[in-house]
């Protein structure tokens, strides 16, 4: 991440390079680009998490583990009932 001191240095350099008249326009463009990239990354992350959840649901190993846990749990409940 970029901290405040780095932003100040970048702003001063940008001020010298583009001048005070064009700086606000360029900063708006940079802010828009940052917002667009951030939004796209959030959407990509959300889609990847959804895909991973779907993959885990059909993962045979996970299904077997889940069934085994249910089997053990049912066996323990049967033992408690028979006592």
């Amino acid at each position: 991440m970029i901290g405040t001191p780095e932003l100040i240095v970048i702003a001063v350099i940008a001020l010298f390079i583009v001048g005070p008249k064009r700086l606000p326009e360029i900063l708006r463009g940079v802010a828009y680009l940052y917002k667009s990239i951030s939004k796209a990354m959030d959407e990509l992350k959300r889609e990847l998490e959804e895909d991973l959840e779907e993959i885990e649901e059909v993962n045979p190993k996970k299904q077997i583990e889940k069934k085994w846990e249910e089997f053990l749990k049912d066996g323990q409940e049967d033992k408690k009932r028979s006592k």
Side-chain angles (χ1 to χ4, degrees), residues 22-58:
R22 291 196 56 219
L23 186 60
E25 177 186 333
I26 290 173
L27 289 177
R28 278 193 294 274
V30 169
Y32 177 78
L33 181 63
Y34 177 79
K35 184 177 177 182
S36 298
I37 291 172
S38 178
K39 185 177 178 182
M41 293 297 291
D42 289 343
E43 179 68 20
L44 179 63
K45 182 180 175 184
R46 186 186 61 77
E47 288 178 11
L48 286 173
E49 287 173 350
E50 288 176 0
D51 289 345
L52 286 173
E53 287 176 8
E54 288 178 17
I55 289 171
E56 288 210 5
E57 288 177 5
V58 295

Side-chain angles (χ1 to χ4, degrees), residues 60-75:
K61 182 179 177 184
K62 292 283 186 183
Q63 289 179 350
I64 291 170
E65 288 173 352
K66 184 178 177 182
K67 291 293 184 184
W68 180 250
E69 288 173 5
E70 290 174 2
F71 174 76
L72 293 176
K73 185 178 177 183
D74 289 344

